[in-house]
C-alpha cells in the first residue's frame, strides 16, 4: 500500500475530538506534532535570537495572555566551561566565564531549559547586572550588541513517528487511531550554539533543550470539522 493511500485512510478515519480536547494519539496528530516540532526547530536554526523566536511561537499559538519570554533562574547549579567551549569563546584558561542556568518560560509553559556560558568582560555593566539579578533572557539583555548565533550542534531527542515512516509500505507499522492521549516526552530536541556580537566577537555558548511544552496548545485537528 502506497504511503499516500495510508495517509488518506488515516485522515479519513481520524476521530474528531470533543471540544477542548487536544492531542489525542493517532497518525494524523503525530504528523501534526512532527510538522510543528520541525517548524520550530527550523525557525530557531535560522533565527538570530531564540528568545524572539519563542515569543513569536507563544503568541502565534496563543499560549499566554502575555506572550513574553522570561528567564527563570535555576539556582544551585554550576558547570565549568569545557576546553571546547573556551576555544569557541576564544578565551584563555584564566579569563572569567560565567554560567547561567535558566528555564525560558512563556506564561506557565517552560519552552526550553538552557545552560549559558558567557564572557562578562565583553558585556556592559548594565548587561551583567541584568543577567545576574533579573529574569531578562540573555538575548534581550545583550540586544544593544546586535547579537546573532551560529549553531554548533543539533540533536533530535524524540520523533512522533518511527524512523523512515515516510517510505513505509506497511500500514500496520504506523500508529492508528486510538482513544488515548498522545504521550509527549519532556525533551524534544537540543541546540548548542555560539552567540556573537555584531563585530564577530563570541559572547556566549548556549546549550538549549526544547521541551514537550512547546506543544501546550490544542492540536490543529482538534478544531477541524467532521466530514
Amino acid at each position: 500500500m502506497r504511503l499516500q493511500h495510508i495517509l488518506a485512510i488515516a485522515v479519513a478515519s481520524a476521530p474528531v475530538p470533543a471540544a477542548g480536547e487536544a492531542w489525542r494519539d493517532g497518525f494524523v496528530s503525530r504528523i501534526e506534532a512532527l510538522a510543528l516540532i520541525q517548524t520550530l526547530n527550523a525557525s530557531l536554526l535560522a533565527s538570530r535570537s531564540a528568545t524572539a523566536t519563542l515569543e513569536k511561537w507563544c503568541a502565534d499559538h496563543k499560549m499566554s495572555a502575555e506572550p513574553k519570554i522570561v528567564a527563570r533562574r535555576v539556582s544551585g547549579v554550576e558547570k565549568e566551561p569545557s576546553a571546547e567551549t573556551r576555544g569557541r569563546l576564544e578565551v584563555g584558561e584564566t579569563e572569567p566565564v560565567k554560567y547561567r542556568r535558566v528555564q525560558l518560560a512563556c506564561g506557565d509553559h517552560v519552552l526550553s531549559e538552557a545552560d549559558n556560558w558567557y564572557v562578562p568582560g565583553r558585556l556592559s555593566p548594565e548587561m551583567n547586572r541584568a543577567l545576574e539579578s533579573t529574569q531578562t533572557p540573555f538575548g534581550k539583555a545583550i540586544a544593544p550588541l546586535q547579537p546573532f548565533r551560529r549553531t554548533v550542534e543539533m540533536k533530535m531527542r524524540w520523533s512522533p513517528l518511527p524512523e523512515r515512516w515516510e517510505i513505509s509500505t506497511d500500514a500496520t507499522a504506523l500508529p492508528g487511531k486510538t482513544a488515548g492521549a498522545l504521550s509527549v516526552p519532556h525533551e524534544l530536541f537540543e541546540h548548542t550554539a555560539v552567540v556573537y556580537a555584531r563585530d564577530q566577537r563570541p559572547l556566549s555558548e548556549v546549550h538549549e533543550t526544547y521541551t514537550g511544552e512547546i506543544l501546550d496548545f490544542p492540536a490543529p485537528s482538534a478544531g477541524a470539522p467532521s466530514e
Side-chain angles (χ1 to χ4, degrees):
M1 185 181 293
R2 294 173 62 86
L3 177 61
Q4 292 89 337
H5 192 196
I6 296 172
L7 180 57
I9 293 172
V11 171
S13 60
V16 178
E21 186 178 353
W23 295 111
R24 294 178 68 176
D25 200 357
F27 187 39
V28 172
S29 60
R30 285 175 177 266
I31 287 180
E32 291 172 338
L34 178 61
L36 286 162
I37 291 168
Q38 294 291 8
T39 295
L40 179 58
N41 185 31
S43 296
L44 288 161
L45 289 171
S47 175
R48 295 175 65 97
S49 167
T51 300
T53 301
L54 290 178
E55 282 194 346
K56 185 177 186 302
W57 182 265
C58 186
D60 288 349
H61 296 94
K62 299 177 172 60
M63 299 177 71
S64 175
E66 183 182 8
K68 177 183 177 181
I69 296 295
V70 298
R72 300 176 183 171
R73 296 290 301 272
V74 178
S75 60
V77 180
E78 289 293 335
K79 294 182 181 179
E80 291 296 321
S82 67
E84 291 79 8
T85 294
R86 283 189 173 273
R88 287 189 284 264
L89 292 176
E90 299 176 11
V91 296
E93 294 182 3
T94 60
E95 185 168 354
V97 174
K98 288 196 172 182
Y99 173 76
R100 191 180 192 231
R101 169 79 174 177
V102 299
Q103 297 177 329
L104 292 179
C106 183
D108 296 329
H109 311 286
V110 176
L111 305 183
S112 77
E113 298 170 339
D115 298 307
N116 185 353
W117 294 270
Y118 64 96
V119 186
R122 296 175 186 171
L123 309 181
S124 71
E126 293 77 12
M127 294 172 188
N128 280 305
R129 278 195 293 271
L131 294 172
E132 292 169 3
S133 61
T134 75
Q135 292 188 325
T136 304
F138 187 77
K140 286 188 175 181
I142 66 168
L145 299 177
Q146 300 181 35
F148 65 95
R149 48 192 277 148
R150 291 176 180 154
T151 302
V152 175
E153 186 177 27
M154 189 280 292
K155 293 181 180 179
M156 296 302 301
R157 289 299 185 190
W158 178 72
S159 174
L161 289 169
E163 188 176 1
R164 299 173 65 83
W165 67 270
E166 74 280 6
I167 60 174
S168 173
T169 59
D170 181 6
T172 63
L174 298 172
K177 70 178 183 179
T178 175
L182 177 62
S183 178
V184 179
H186 180 66
E187 298 183 357
L188 299 186
F189 59 94
E190 299 177 5
H191 286 181
T192 300
V194 176
V195 179
Y196 295 85
R198 181 181 59 178
D199 63 5
Q200 305 286 325
R201 286 186 308 164
L203 303 174
S204 83
E205 180 169 300
V206 293
H207 180 262
E208 303 153 337
T209 300
Y210 292 89
T211 79
E213 294 185 41
I214 66 169
L215 298 176
D216 277 1
F217 52 83
S221 59
S226 59
E227 293 291 336

